[in-house]
Amino acid sequence: MGFFKRKHEPKKVPEGRVEGFYKVTGSGKYAAEYKLENVCYAVLVGSTIAAGEIVDINTDNAKDIEGVLDVLTHRNRPQIPAFADEAKAKRAGFSLPVLHTNKIFFRGQPVALVIAETLEDANYAASLVTVSYKTDQAKVDFDKEHATVPIAATGKERGSMDAWSNAPHIREQAYTIRNQVHNPMEMHATIAVWDGDKKLKLYDKNQGVNNVQQTISRLFDIPPANIEVFSEYVGGGFGSGLKVWSNVPLAIMAAKQVNRPVKLMLTRPQMFTLVGYRPQSWQNVRIGADANGKFLGILHQAKHGTSVFDNYGEGITRISRLVYNFGNLKTESATVPLNLGAPTWMRGPGDCTGAFALESAIDELSYDIKKDPLQLRLDNLAVINDPDTGKPWSTNFLNECMTKGAEMINWKSRNPLPAQTKEGEWMIGYGVANGMWFAGRSKASASIIMQKDGSITVQTAMTDIGTGTGTGMQNIAHLELGISHDKIRIKLGNSNLPAAPSQGGSTGLSTISGAVAAVCDALKMKLAGYASLQDAIYKDAKPESIVLSDSGIAYQQAGNHLISFDKIFSKENLQTIEVEASSGPGEERQKYAFCSGASHFCKVRVHTKTGKVKIDRHVCVVDAGYVVNKLAAANQVSGAAVGGIGMTLSEEQVVDSTHGCFIGGDLAGYHFAVNADAPIIEVDFINKIDPNINPSGAKGVGEVGIIGAAAAIANAIFHATGKRLRDLPITPDKVLLAKS
Amino acid sequence: MEKQKYSRRFFLSTSAMAATLAFIPVGVKAFYNNVKKLVIPLKEKMAIKLSINKAKYNLTVDTRTTLLDLVREQLDLTGTKKGCDHGQCGACTVHVNGQRVLSCLTLAATVQGKEVTTIEGLSQGSELHPMQQAFIECDGFQCGYCTPGQIMSAVGCVNEGHTHSVEEIKEFMSGNLCRCGAYNGIVQSIQKVAK
């Protein structure tokens, strides 16, 4: 844990991200951009019904088109070994037997794949594939179906519901949120290249190369070592890249069929059905408090949609178990199977949905009690122990987040009564809400290659989906070793590099920082080993007693017993020095609970005549341990808040219950926040080290920036208008029609 | 340029036919597809001359090819990104004769004789354009996928003089979507260059 000693203060503030130059010049290669000899193009044909069976597929017209190489359907595709038996498919963790069944589970399900010399040829030919179906009754209407699904206990009950049935203040309300879609700017894409029968290269958009490698290994029955996955640049994910979707096996099958590299990039409309979404949800929250506002109990019930072929469950009620002290607590949940594509984790999965209901309900209660919503929360926060496990929080400064945020937005200037502040035709309101996310950490490996000139490359298989992982690794390596930033290169996103888990759930930096610290120690020890052959003082050296710099290795302080890297390399006749190390969570996980927290404050204006909501200010104060790179971390948080603005005011994927399709399945029909929809987001950090979580003391920030954001905005809208909006998104029509 | 064989009206009427026929039984649709194959020009190529990043190109392109697919798939200029292919996201923004243009909505055939600048041609040699430098300094991106389009658009925004306030910058940059939500840094980068 040498990191905390801060031996090497940063020499200079790094100018920007390690990959900045490649991103601003467009020279970084994303999945579909690798230039491969003899590559051809694949275009997907999706089903036009939501449930039923394929009766016939006619691909003759498509095959007649000049440039078309082949058209794959469930009748002629190469066999994926795991789809030959159900147990194997299950083990592979891939639920949609794509092109291996005539059954249709959702509209848009791939039914054919056209492979052609050019994208234009493939696109045109795809329009000529005709499919006839036997149509079954599809279940796509969540509102209609969820009432028929029974709800069941989830997690341990605390105390009893009877204990607070006569509480002086009880609030019970239902909250609903429509489907939301990740829509990373880079569409999911795969280039598959076979080398013989048993070796495969995949250029793929995902959040974890090792996950793709493992899944494809199990599906195609090829050893993982024979599958190389390249994902050096990843154009966003937000969870959609945590799973392997049908585009990957489809491209692999196609490449096998035509014996050439095949490129398959989903279209934007296909991004709405084939790579997951945050499922539509219904929640009911009953919350009770005594006359002073002490929380007595909570009942949190949640149901959300899932697909008929892959049951996805997310912990919507978990957030109610974590943030506040509820002596009595009951959580219940259910999933509702629908004929839609499979939903999946989307930024702040579960908690983001749950926090909207919990933090809205608390806000409603605060106005019942006539107590400041900020104070009500502060009085009930559980910052000492995790109320669910009883373990002490390693660190939890959510209370400080709240007070700091309140200062930043000048909370005390706000009129405590709702619907009182007007500016012309606009009504002004302030809202607050909290977010929390468990601070996970997994095991990961990293290696360092040192060159004769003392420059190093730190590398791992982990991807950087835009979070700044590479830059964080460079900062940590610099602080650990003392070598200047410009002599530290970072290599990421290749399955041949030391193994690392997928980047998701705000665990990336927390996980990899441990591996980087460990491999830095390993480098020091390796160098000390060589140095000891020239100077005996290095014989019993420990990582803490080694000081590296651009000039060489020193003992205990810079320049002391200095041996230049050049001397070590030439004396031992070395070309490079290579070390690898792994690091993961340990027994600290038994002792402590870990979390990141955030407080959101929002100032909105609501137009009295049009119902338009404009976010004037949005403040987010985050407690996520030590902040390794403030610029990138603040960017993460402000970006998540922008996501929260979209979630609250405009994002909804409505399902057409007649045809079973999504309405508005493109970026003109599905509105996430554009530049003008968001103010400059104001971000600050508590920046106190978590001494137990990992060697860097840093925790993830990717999720907490969105968890709670929606409730802060909805609460501000209530404060502005006196209207409580419990159905997201809060579009102008809902604002106008709601009663105060 | 070769004389057009099919009028716009013809194209619109066949498209309308396609839309109508989408709800008609499969046999009819198959028949329609046969007709479509006869009446819609299949692959047709034409010669075009244009300049991209000050280099002259004499190319033979499929008439259906967009400027976006031309630069990405045929010329290996992959800095210009495909984010929607429908003119809804701005990731494919390039300059044509100095104006910001969505390359996914521009058929390659229509840039005959024009000067195209992509992100690869924005900087002079190894020197970054001030806007590229500002994006690095202000961290005006996360995943980087929308970034080339944002930068091309940002240069346009400054050239057009729409930089008098944060609100104005935001309004004139709202055709470029960023799902990472790096709008703080994008606005700050533009302010920095506009000074």
Side-chain angles (χ1 to χ4, degrees), chain A residues 17 23-24 29-30 33 41 61 120-121 181-182 263 268 466 635 639 651 672-673 675-676 678 681, chain B residues 34 36 43 64-65 72-73 78 81 83 88 132 139 141-144 170 174 177 179-180 183-184:
Chain A
R17 298 191 184 208
K23 285 182 174 171
V24 302
K29 292 284 184 194
Y30 295 79
E33 297 172 352
Y41 295 80
N61 283 337
E120 293 79 6
D121 294 333
V181 190
H182 309 71
K263 183 190 291 196
R268 184 55 66 180
N635 199 340
E651 290 186 37
F672 60 78
N675 208 324
I681 310 288
Chain B
N34 283 325
K36 180 168 148 189
K43 194 169 190 157
R64 302 167 297 187
T65 301
R72 276 176 70 85
E73 304 300 335
T78 54
K81 305 301 182 194
Q88 298 163 346
Q132 291 172 313
D139 210 32
F141 57 85
Q142 287 177 30
C143 80
K170 282 181 161 288
S174 280
L177 307 186
R179 188 52 156 160
C180 299
Y183 297 134
N184 273 12

Side-chain angles (χ1 to χ4, degrees), chain A residues 15-17 19-21 23-26 28-30 32-33 35 41 61 64-66 118-121 124 127-128 130-132 181-187 234-236 238 263 265 268-269 346-347 465-466 631-632 635-636 638-640 642 651 659 666-668 670 672-676 678-681, chain B residues 23 26 29-30 33-34 36-37 40 42-43 62 64-66 69 72-74 76 78-86 88-89 91 119-120 123 126 128 132-133 135-148 150-151 166 169-171 173-174 176-184 186-188:
Chain A
E15 276 173 29
R17 298 191 184 208
E19 78 285 12
F21 175 85
K23 285 182 174 171
V24 302
T25 54
K29 292 284 184 194
Y30 295 79
E33 297 172 352
K35 195 178 178 181
Y41 295 80
N61 283 337
D64 280 352
I65 297 300
E66 183 194 343
T118 70
L119 184 59
E120 293 79 6
D121 294 333
Y124 181 59
S127 77
L128 298 174
T130 51
V131 187
S132 59
V181 190
H182 309 71
N183 275 313
M185 292 310 298
E186 182 200 14
M187 295 173 294
V234 183
F238 318 109
K263 183 190 291 196
M265 184 184 231
R268 184 55 66 180
M346 179 167 159
R347 203 166 200 170
I465 59 170
L631 202 57
N635 199 340
Q636 273 281 291
S638 64
V642 170
E651 290 186 37
H659 296 102
D666 62 27
L667 299 180
Y670 183 87
F672 60 78
V674 302
N675 208 324
I680 295 291
I681 310 288
Chain B
F23 291 100
V26 171
K29 197 171 170 185
N33 276 335
N34 283 325
K36 180 168 148 189
K37 270 170 64 181
I40 292 185
L42 296 178
K43 194 169 190 157
D62 189 322
R64 302 167 297 187
T65 301
T66 61
D69 286 330
R72 276 176 70 85
E73 304 300 335
Q74 291 175 47
D76 197 31
T78 54
T80 306
K81 305 301 182 194
K82 184 182 280 189
C84 71
D85 219 16
H86 281 55
Q88 298 163 346
C89 77
I119 189 75
E120 289 91 347
S123 53
S126 58
L128 289 178
Q132 291 172 313
Q133 190 64 39
F135 266 68
I136 293 180
E137 286 164 9
C138 302
D139 210 32
F141 57 85
Q142 287 177 30
C143 80
Y145 197 76
C146 74
T147 311
Q150 297 280 0
I151 291 174
V166 167
I169 292 171
K170 282 181 161 288
E171 189 62 34
M173 285 301 291
S174 280
N176 289 79
L177 307 186
C178 171
R179 188 52 156 160
C180 299
Y183 297 134
N184 273 12
I186 292 168
V187 172
Q188 283 150 8

Side-chain angles (χ1 to χ4, degrees), chain A residues 31 33-40 191-193 201 203 261-263, chain B residues 76:
Chain A
E33 297 172 352
Y34 286 84
K35 195 178 178 181
L36 292 158
E37 214 47 53
N38 211 21
V39 73
C40 54
I191 306 176
V193 191
K201 275 186 185 170
Y203 302 84
V262 170
K263 183 190 291 196
Chain B
D76 197 31

Side-chain angles (χ1 to χ4, degrees), chain A residues 511-579:
Chain A
T511 295
I512 204 64
S513 62
V516 173
V519 77
C520 286
D521 281 355
L523 178 68
K524 285 179 176 175
M525 292 313 291
K526 184 111 177 186
L527 286 166
Y530 290 124
S532 68
L533 303 173
Q534 298 182 35
D535 185 336
I537 196 156
Y538 286 100
K539 268 203 173 113
D540 301 317
K542 295 195 168 56
E544 305 85 82
S545 49
I546 300 296
V547 183
L548 301 186
S549 64
D550 293 349
S551 23
I553 181 169
Y555 190 74
Q556 277 178 341
Q557 64 189 53
N560 194 26
H561 292 265
L562 178 78
I563 302 175
S564 71
F565 293 130
D566 186 49
K567 212 167 161 192
I568 289 177
F569 274 82
S570 52
K571 190 116 185 176
E572 305 303 323
N573 198 19
L574 300 166
Q575 294 308 308
T576 55
I577 293 175
E578 296 185 30
V579 283

